[in-house]
Amino acid sequence: MSLRRAVALTSVATVFAALSVAARQPAQVSPETAGLSPAPLREATDLLKRYVAEQRMAGAVAAVARAGRIGYFETVGMQDLQARTPMSARSLFRIYSMTRPITSVAVMMLQEEGRFQLDDPVARFIPEFKNVVVAAAPGATPHAPTRDVTVRDLLLHTAGLQPRTSEAYQREHVRSREITMAQFLANLVRVPLMEEPGTRYRYSEGTSVLGRLVEIWSGKPFEVFLDERIFRPLRMTDTMFWAGTPEQRARLTTVYGPAPGGGLRPIETETLPFTERPTLIEGAIGLLSSVPDYLRFSQMLLNKGELDGVRLLKASTVGAMISNGLSEAVLKTRNGATGWGLANVEVQLNPPAGALEASGEFGWDGTAGTIFSVDPGRQSVMVLFTASQPSNPDQIRQRFKALVQQAIMN
């Protein structure tokens, strides 16, 4: 039996497990076998190639799976323009905020084990949080919050904390890959909360606090817990906090942005490069990964916690994680058709244009050009990685995703 015929008859587990020995390319079936129309996918590839030719991005790796079968996998352009290293299936990308769903899975695994409750005060485990205060009106004195910051607040970004790029956090040097976790926590609580916990969604550094909580609850370093409990079981062999070996460094993509006068120039996203071990291991933004690895992680979420016979979470837990967790009052502060789930994912609330009902789509992205989207209603997963900053050059994400959605056959 031919390899293509064998793959077409395999289960979801075999499809995702099979890798060619030579290039570690994920096993792939025809688009039709995966329930995808080839023509829009060809347009999607042409779109990526056009962006590369027009120097709007250096390259991309993209994948689409449906019902557990990979019907589309493409590598386009260059991983490193100067070295002329082409993109490959195993190219490593700085996934930044796409670290957060992985951290959330770790948190909820420990919640299932009874190590904590979602509404436990963070201060019960991290004493520094006993010192938080809420910012007051100009000229007034900051005051103690009306209630504690909880673990749920950290997952849903309702703690009153701020993003790493905020003016206050930049001014106070809250976060750096070169400081310790103790320093980070001390810096974090020194800056007043922007509002009372539970009253507003504000994307924040709270997910890195969750990484520290994983260490406290599990008794293991955060990176060790992820490796032992998530990466190894899911065979995510190319997901890590730094490219520590020459072989890994050779696969690390260069991030590119627009150059003055046209073309592209390399962008250094951190003062401490991702080729060196960081002092601060961050649950919010720290990981490197590849498209095949993140496709496997995404498929596990679509499968409600299981992949290849390995179950990380109960189906009911994942169902709660990928549903909106924000209250009606907090949703109003987002001013949109999307909610936020405990999995640290944006959740579609309203039907997309032309649809009769919402499909439960969820996903998130990263600041250096990565995005994933999972659509339970259509049983599809899309992963697109470009090493770009700004992260979405000329709306490549929306344009690529629109073609993928056209390809999905009923």
Side-chain angles (χ1 to χ4, degrees), residues 60 81 151 221 244 260 295 309 312 314 338 347 400:
L81 291 172
V151 177
L295 191 66
L312 298 189
K314 297 175 183 177
T338 58
V347 179
F400 182 84

Side-chain angles (χ1 to χ4, degrees), residues 198-209:
T199 60
R200 176 174 174 166
Y201 171 92
R202 188 184 296 276
Y203 197 61
S204 79
E205 284 289 273
T207 325
S208 285
V209 180

Side-chain angles (χ1 to χ4, degrees), residues 156-158 199-203 326 330 333-334 340 364:
L156 294 178
H157 298 283
T158 55
T199 60
R200 176 174 174 166
Y201 171 92
R202 188 184 296 276
Y203 197 61
L326 301 177
V330 173
T333 69
R334 283 178 60 85
W340 193 262
W364 198 228

Side-chain angles (χ1 to χ4, degrees), residues 326-390:
L326 301 177
S327 68
E328 286 295 326
V330 173
L331 275 176
K332 291 179 181 178
T333 69
R334 283 178 60 85
N335 298 320
T338 58
W340 193 262
L342 294 169
N344 257 271
V345 290
E346 193 169 53
V347 179
Q348 183 188 82
L349 297 178
N350 299 326
L356 296 178
E357 61 182 24
S359 62
E361 182 181 351
F362 64 91
W364 198 228
D365 53 44
T367 193
T370 60
I371 187 172
F372 83 108
S373 178
V374 179
D375 192 329
R378 299 176 180 85
Q379 283 291 294
S380 66
V381 177
M382 181 203 82
V383 181
L384 172 64
F385 283 8
T386 71
S388 304
Q389 204 169 61

Side-chain angles (χ1 to χ4, degrees), residues 32-45:
E32 296 90 342
T33 300
L36 299 168
S37 175
L41 295 179
R42 286 194 293 269
E43 288 186 53
T45 300

